[in-house]
Amino acid sequence: MKHTLFLFDLDDTLLDFKASEQLSFVRTLEALGLREGIDTLFPQYQAINIALWREFELGAVSKDFLKVERFRRTFAQNGLELDAASASHLYLESLSDTVVLIDGARQVCEALCAIGEVGIITNGVEHIQTRRIASSGLKDHISFVSTSEACGYAKPDSRFFDYAAKMARAFAHHETVIVGDRLDADILGANRFGIDSCWFNPAQLANESEAVPTCEVGSLHEILPALKKLAAA
C-alpha cells in the first residue's frame, strides 16, 4: 500500500448528512411549534444553507453568522415569526443524535486504520462533529479530527490541510490521500496541497470543475481496491 495517512471528509462521505439534516430540521421546527409546511421549507433551507457555506469557504462570512443566518433567511422568506437563534441551537443539538452511517463507512475505516492512520477533515462545527463521530461508532478507528473552526481556515485553503497534516503521527505528501465527496473543497484542496485524492461520487456526477481526483469511487467498499491499484501503478 502506497498510502499510510488517510484523510476523510465526514459529511456525505462517511456520514449521511442529508438524512441527518432533514430529520434535525423537522425536529427543530416542530420544537418551535410549527406543524405544517415543514417539507416545503426544507428545500429552501438547504439552498440557503449551501449558499452560506460557499460564502464561508471563501472567507466572506463567519461560521457563527452562518449558523443563525440560514434560519433567519428561511423564516423571513416565508413570513414566519420564529426565533432564528433558538432554531440554530436546537438544530445543532439534534444533529448530534441523528447520525446515519453511509454503507461501508465502518468497514473502510477499520481496514485503513490497520494499515496506517485515519484522520477526519471537516468544515463542520467542531463540538457537533466530535459528538457525531462518537455517536457513529467510528471513533476507535480515527486518530484525529481536524476542523476549520479550530484551524481558522476552511477547505480548500492549503493552510487547513497543513494544519491537518501537523496533527498526524507522521506526514509525507506522497503517502497521504484525501477521500471526499466535494470536488470544490476536498479534491481541489488536495490538488493545491500536492497530495493524492479519491473522489467519492456515488451519484456518478460529471466532473465539470478544475479539480482533478487521482481516483474515483462510487462506493466506500471500492476505496481499498482503488488505493491498492494506485500503489501498483
Side-chain angles (χ1 to χ4, degrees), residues 158-173:
S158 290
R159 289 170 290 188
F160 173 85
F161 292 97
D162 185 56
Y163 172 83
K166 289 175 181 174
M167 297 182 75
R169 292 192 297 264
F171 169 76
H173 281 83

Side-chain angles (χ1 to χ4, degrees), residues 74-94:
T74 302
F75 296 160
Q77 192 169 293
N78 291 275
L80 296 172
E81 295 184 2
L82 299 175
D83 185 67
S86 295
S88 176
H89 174 75
L90 289 167
Y91 173 78
L92 291 174
E93 288 300 307
S94 179

Side-chain angles (χ1 to χ4, degrees), residues 49-201:
N49 187 41
I50 289 170
L52 282 167
W53 275 106
R54 296 287 188 268
E55 290 184 44
F56 167 74
E57 288 162 2
L58 293 171
V61 300
S62 71
K63 191 171 293 182
D64 285 340
F65 175 82
L66 175 156
K67 287 186 287 189
V68 177
E69 181 66 10
R70 55 192 176 183
F71 287 100
R72 190 199 67 77
R73 292 186 189 180
T74 302
F75 296 160
Q77 192 169 293
N78 291 275
L80 296 172
E81 295 184 2
L82 299 175
D83 185 67
S86 295
S88 176
H89 174 75
L90 289 167
Y91 173 78
L92 291 174
E93 288 300 307
S94 179
L95 270 182
S96 303
D97 303 320
T98 55
V99 174
V100 180
L101 283 174
I102 288 179
D103 181 47
R106 184 173 287 106
Q107 293 92 328
V108 73
C109 287
E110 183 176 6
L112 293 179
C113 80
I115 295 169
E117 185 175 18
V118 176
I120 298 296
I121 53 171
T122 174
N123 282 348
V125 181
E126 182 167 15
H127 78 279
I128 298 299
Q129 299 296 60
T130 301
R131 287 171 58 183
R132 293 176 72 223
I133 290 168
S135 299
S136 71
L138 299 177
K139 187 176 180 180
D140 290 345
H141 308 308
I142 293 168
S143 176
F144 63 90
V145 179
S146 176
T147 69
S148 60
E149 191 169 12
C151 170
Y153 302 99
K155 296 182 290 183
D157 194 308
S158 290
R159 289 170 290 188
F160 173 85
F161 292 97
D162 185 56
Y163 172 83
K166 289 175 181 174
M167 297 182 75
R169 292 192 297 264
F171 169 76
H173 281 83
H174 67 285
E175 294 178 349
T176 303
V177 61
I178 287 175
V179 181
D181 68 300
R182 286 186 52 193
L183 290 165
D184 59 347
D186 305 308
I187 308 307
L188 184 60
N191 292 164
R192 291 176 175 175
F193 196 56
I195 55 181
D196 287 340
S197 61
C198 179
W199 182 27
F200 176 55
N201 183 23

